[in-house]
Amino acid sequence: QVQLVESGGGLVQAGGSLRLSCAASGSMPSTNDMGWHRQAPGKQRELVARITSGGSTNYADSVKGRFTISSDNAKNTVYLQMNSLKPDDTAVYYCNAGYRRNIVRYDYWGQGTQVTVSS
């Protein structure tokens, strides 16, 4: 079982920055990935950014150049640095951790942290 605890959300003006953190505890294989998804009111949850245990990253087109995902493997923590925030970035941000064992994908989710960007 994997537990994820997020922190760092809040209210910020457009153009501002926030840094989200997600600390993972529990047992995961060495090959895994962690990421951030978000869900705005009335919209589906979408991937924002993901980083693999090997250091590969991918981002949603809407955040490329503004958000940066990074990880501290020693602390089992993943970060999302969000710059140049826009009102459209307002959402609940969820941390996700996952891995594959044989053909099965296991996913774990944090409780979510609210990010609100005012215009």
Side-chain angles (χ1 to χ4, degrees), residues 64-76:
K64 283 180 181 177
R66 301 187 298 122
F67 292 10
T68 302
I69 190 169
S70 61
S71 64
D72 184 334
N73 291 335
K75 296 181 179 180
N76 289 328

Side-chain angles (χ1 to χ4, degrees), residues 25-104:
S25 61
S27 177
M28 282 200 297
S30 57
T31 301
N32 57 68
D33 57 81
M34 294 185 71
W36 293 92
H37 291 65
R38 67 186 181 188
Q39 188 166 19
K43 294 186 177 181
Q44 290 190 332
R45 191 174 297 190
E46 61 176 357
L47 173 69
V48 176
R50 176 181 286 127
I51 186 167
T52 70
S53 50
S56 298
T57 59
N58 64 290
Y59 296 89
D61 288 343
S62 59
V63 307
K64 283 180 181 177
R66 301 187 298 122
F67 292 10
T68 302
I69 190 169
S70 61
S71 64
D72 184 334
N73 291 335
K75 296 181 179 180
N76 289 328
T77 300
V78 64
Y79 306 96
L80 186 68
Q81 178 66 43
M82 305 185 293
N83 299 329
S84 302
L85 282 160
K86 305 174 181 179
D88 284 349
D89 295 317
T90 296
V92 178
Y93 284 69
Y94 296 91
C95 180
N96 165 258
Y99 60 88
R100 288 191 181 278
R101 180 164 290 155
N102 297 321
I103 62 171
V104 179

